[in-house]
Amino acid sequence: MPATSQSFNQVNNISDILLSEHLINQNQYKEIKLKAATDGISEEQVIVSLGFVNEDKLSEIKANMLGVPYISLDSTSFSPQALSLIPQAVVQRFNLIPFSYDDRAKTLSIAMANPVDLDGLSFVRQKTGLNIKAFAASPSAIKQAIDIQYRQEIVGQVGEALKETEEQSTTKTVDSTQIAQIIKEAPIAKIVSTILEYAVKSRSSDVHIEPQEERVRVRYRIDGILYDRLSLPKTVQESVISRIKILSEMKIDEHRIPQDGRFNFKIDDKEVDLRISVLPASHGEKIVIRLLRKSGGIPNLEELGLWGTALRNLKINMLRPHGIIIICGPTGSGKTTTLYSVLNQINSTKVNIVTLEDPIEYELSGINQVQINPAVGLTFATGLRSFLRQDPNIILVGEIRDKETTELAIQAALTGHLVFSSLHTSNASGVLPRLLDLGAETFLLASTMNAVVGQRIVRRICSSCKVSLPPPNEVTESIKKELGPLMPPGAVTIYKGKGCNECGGSGYLGRMGIFEVMPINEEIANLILKRADSYTLENVAVRQGMITMKQDGYLKVLKGVTTIEEVLRVAQE
């Protein structure tokens, strides 16, 4: 048999290896052998069709058999230079995708469904004139990567800009007097602009530009998860970083200390406020860009994911004329968005609302918003003291961080104001002991607290590729055990997204919250007076009808809004 006809799908004895590694049992082994012989298909096709081993694991095992390195494309960043070297028609024809290019060694790394396809390797080698290093990857992972990478405008645009920088000079040494001119040149400006445009279009909340030993990695946080989307050569590292520094009004000749800056970026009708943080790292300065959208409106409480009992308890307490409502959760759990949504709902011409924030993330019409500035002495505590002389009805303090702010918030509530704030605790029941730790008096806390809201953010299943599936028995039992009497009647069905162009292959599109709302009633107020721990407080609240965050998440899984993996990712203690 000629070498060119050797197929990656016809590796002998794949079932023997799976059996020896205990990935299949003896009965499955016999079934594979029998079905392959009777149906006249390869063992691999049988294994995949029966679902005994997932495709990625199968590809990894076959790669080891062939002595070819395996690569997981989910965690791989793609170089625009590499992608620009092979047209889309070629990658689809041979089911391969380039992901890295080493300019010094003139080597192009490609992932292939069949890395012993000599015809494909020869064609790519002749097409590019480069050395080719082949890696194995699963066929479906390659197909998905082709769909995502060749669909993204960011790759093509940055690839073109990189070609321009190469044409201008490939080995030019730049001194400090020239850097200002270089960062104004079209290719570098275009790279930075394209990175930011993609961030806005992809609904990213943050962009990470991370210098590494041989490249610069660009990652985007989309729906709370970081995705590797771009890999830039080291040759443009300093120019790109300096370009962003100048736009942010930072010192471009300072590389030893962290710096912060900001600027606005407009694309079409969307204006975005960018907060820039620069941090010196081992391979250069790392940049994180936080995107704060000025337009787009505030979602209402139902759109955030507050439903049923939780929504009713929060609405009752936020319409009271005075008291304190605390939203809790870790960084990035959506506390600020929930606070804004509440303020938006109770805002009217009849009340004076003032906020003290760090930073101001949304601009709310008709609300007096103040940003703290510790450099001139404007902190949460000093600002809150000043607010009480501004005749407010409702006060938002971005975060309670110390004893002074805690005491002032309680005093504001006692003197007839409605106070909203946030706190970093893992669940609602942990807020009250934490406030006592910060110096709050038990009797004052018991008389001023209205409600505590705990929350996390989960990704929504993409509606364009959502499919239902029966859950495994252990998942069904876990859901029934967690929900108890809240379990809806009927068969259990869960859902997932298969991955499509709409959601970029992730199966998720957009986010929503899972919540627990603990109203402070007489029984819980008495427990505060006794300095009860969070465990006791939660048990009493659940007995009184509070739905926990995990239960709320599982109910949303059964409604087909999110997946059980998402709920466990954010709410598993």
Side-chain angles (χ1 to χ4, degrees):
M1 181 183 291
T4 52
S5 65
Q6 185 181 1
S7 169
F8 197 37
N9 294 325
Q10 294 175 340
V11 179
N12 291 325
N13 302 322
I14 186 80
S15 56
D16 295 299
I17 292 174
L18 293 176
L19 183 64
S20 68
E21 294 193 8
H22 307 292
L23 292 169
I24 57 172
N25 58 37
Q26 194 68 45
N27 289 336
Q28 290 172 326
Y29 174 79
K30 290 176 181 175
E31 189 175 352
I32 291 165
K33 292 288 187 186
L34 179 63
K35 194 169 178 61
T38 54
D39 293 359
I41 57 176
S42 70
E43 288 188 359
E44 182 199 349
Q45 290 171 299
V46 175
I47 294 162
V48 171
S49 68
L50 295 174
F52 289 159
V53 179
N54 71 49
E55 198 179 33
D56 289 329
K57 186 64 181 175
L58 203 60
S59 296
E60 187 177 353
I61 289 168
K62 292 191 297 181
N64 290 335
M65 289 172 63
L66 293 167
V68 177
Y70 171 80
I71 187 165
S72 172
L73 295 179
D74 286 343
S75 55
T76 300
S77 59
F78 289 81
S79 159
Q81 289 172 298
L83 289 161
S84 66
L85 292 169
I86 308 179
Q88 187 171 356
V90 174
V91 298
Q92 288 174 331
R93 175 182 164 192
F94 293 107
N95 204 11
L96 55 85
I97 187 166
F99 61 88
S100 177
Y101 173 56
D102 184 340
D103 188 39
R104 285 175 295 181
K106 300 297 179 191
T107 299
L108 181 66
S109 297
I110 61 173
M112 304 180 73
N114 179 9
V116 290
D117 176 4
L118 300 186
D119 288 339
L121 285 165
S122 176
F123 188 90
V124 171
R125 193 176 289 112
Q126 289 176 356
K127 179 85 178 169
T128 61
L130 300 169
N131 301 316
I132 304 300
K133 186 174 182 181
F135 291 75
S138 71
S140 61
I142 289 174
K143 183 180 183 303
Q144 187 177 45
I146 291 170
D147 289 343
I148 293 171
Q149 297 301 328
Y150 281 87
R151 181 171 54 86
Q152 289 175 8
E153 293 178 20
I154 184 174
V155 170
Q157 291 173 354
V158 172
E160 289 171 18
L162 288 171
K163 284 180 183 176
E164 288 183 45
T165 63
E166 289 170 8
E167 288 165 11
Q168 289 176 6
S169 175
T170 51
T171 57
K172 181 167 69 177
T173 302
V174 179
D175 61 36
S176 59
T177 59
Q178 295 173 295
I179 192 75
Q181 178 56 37
I182 286 189
I183 61 175
K184 292 177 186 173
E185 290 172 356
I188 298 301
K190 186 177 179 183
I191 289 171
V192 172
S193 178
T194 305
I195 288 171
L196 296 178
E197 281 179 26
Y198 181 77
V200 175
K201 288 177 180 176
S202 63
R203 304 172 295 106
S204 301
S205 60
D206 303 86
V207 182
H208 293 239
I209 300 172
E210 303 168 311
Q212 298 183 321
E213 191 173 0
E214 295 180 347
R215 65 184 179 113
V216 180
R217 180 172 67 176
V218 182
R219 294 192 290 173
Y220 293 84
R221 191 175 292 281
I222 304 169
D223 293 336
I225 305 293
L226 276 172
Y227 292 95
D228 225 328
R229 286 290 186 253
L230 202 56
S231 180
L232 301 173
K234 291 289 280 187
T235 51
V236 299
Q237 175 179 311
E238 289 303 321
S239 302
V240 167
I241 290 171
S242 295
R243 170 76 179 166
I244 294 170
K245 278 183 169 183
I246 281 198
L247 291 169
S248 314
E249 298 183 350
M250 298 182 197
K251 298 175 182 176
I252 63 170
D253 57 345
E254 178 57 78
H255 306 287
R256 301 163 300 166
I257 60 172
Q259 295 187 71
D260 294 301
R262 60 186 291 182
F263 65 94
N264 288 350
F265 181 74
K266 192 166 185 179
I267 170 173
D268 300 328
D269 59 340
K270 297 175 184 173
E271 187 173 358
V272 183
D273 185 10
L274 305 177
R275 308 293 169 97
I276 320 297
S277 172
V278 176
L279 182 72
S282 55
H283 298 296
E285 290 170 292
K286 177 186 173 179
I287 291 182
V288 174
I289 303 171
R290 164 65 58 91
L291 286 82
L292 304 173
R293 286 159 179 78
K294 292 191 168 185
S295 52
I298 308 294
N300 63 39
L301 294 172
E302 290 86 347
E303 288 168 343
L304 290 178
L306 269 159
W307 302 338
T309 307
L311 178 62
R312 186 170 64 252
N313 284 336
L314 179 58
K315 280 189 171 180
I316 289 168
N317 284 287
M318 75 189 203
L319 294 174
R320 290 167 66 179
H322 53 80
I324 301 174
I325 294 176
I326 303 280
I327 314 283
C328 72
T331 302
S333 60
K335 299 187 295 295
T336 304
T337 304
T338 302
L339 286 168
Y340 282 162
S341 184
V342 169
L343 290 186
N344 218 33
Q345 194 142 339
I346 59 179
N347 184 22
S348 76
T349 56
K350 296 178 181 178
V351 292
N352 176 24
I353 302 177
V354 288
T355 76
L356 192 59
E357 305 172 54
D358 180 26
I360 295 171
E361 295 192 20
Y362 297 90
E363 291 181 1
L364 299 171
S365 176
I367 291 176
N368 307 290
Q369 295 175 268
V370 178
Q371 181 163 321
I372 72 163
N373 186 353
V376 297
L378 179 53
T379 63
F380 283 124
T382 58
L384 184 49
R385 192 177 284 109
S386 301
F387 276 9
L388 297 176
R389 296 191 289 273
Q390 286 283 319
D391 185 31
N393 300 101
I394 298 162
I395 298 171
L396 167 64
V397 184
E399 188 181 335
I400 291 178
R401 295 178 179 171
D402 52 37
K403 182 178 181 180
E404 190 179 6
T405 312
T406 306
E407 290 173 347
L408 286 166
I410 290 172
Q411 287 301 320
L414 284 169
T415 52
H417 303 91
L418 184 59
V419 180
F420 293 93
S421 191
S422 70
L423 199 63
H424 285 90
T425 60
S426 60
N427 55 20
S429 59
V431 165
L432 301 168
R434 175 74 181 128
L435 289 172
L436 293 173
D437 288 343
L438 286 170
E441 294 288 350
T442 54
F443 63 96
L444 294 177
L445 194 62
S447 61
T448 54
M449 288 298 300
N450 288 1
V452 180
V453 180
Q455 71 175 80
R456 297 287 190 279
I457 293 183
V458 293
R459 292 182 289 172
R460 285 179 178 268
I461 298 173
C462 173
S463 57
S464 299
C465 60
K466 182 165 85 171
V467 293
S468 62
L469 60 154
N473 289 334
E474 58 268 24
V475 171
T476 303
E477 291 306 312
S478 172
I479 292 173
K480 286 180 177 177
K481 182 180 177 184
E482 186 67 35
L483 291 179
L486 297 171
M487 186 74 191
V492 175
T493 304
I494 59 176
Y495 302 82
K496 71 170 187 175
K498 292 192 296 182
C500 63
N501 287 343
E502 197 70 27
C503 60
S506 69
Y508 297 96
L509 188 65
R511 293 192 288 173
M512 73 182 310
I514 57 173
F515 297 88
E516 59 186 24
V517 178
M518 184 169 75
I520 309 302
N521 54 29
E522 188 177 349
E523 187 176 358
I524 289 179
N526 286 330
L527 289 172
I528 295 171
L529 292 171
K530 296 174 184 175
R531 289 185 171 267
D533 59 24
S534 61
Y535 181 75
T536 305
L537 289 165
E538 181 168 303
N539 283 343
V540 170
V542 168
R543 178 166 53 76
Q544 293 175 348
M546 182 182 84
I547 297 172
T548 66
M549 268 185 287
K550 196 171 180 183
Q551 288 175 332
D552 187 39
Y554 277 7
L555 288 170
K556 282 167 179 158
V557 167
L558 296 177
K559 286 179 184 292
V561 181
T562 188
T563 63
I564 197 160
E565 291 83 5
E566 276 296 289
V567 175
L568 293 174
R569 178 176 69 84
V570 301
Q572 183 78 297
E573 294 296 332

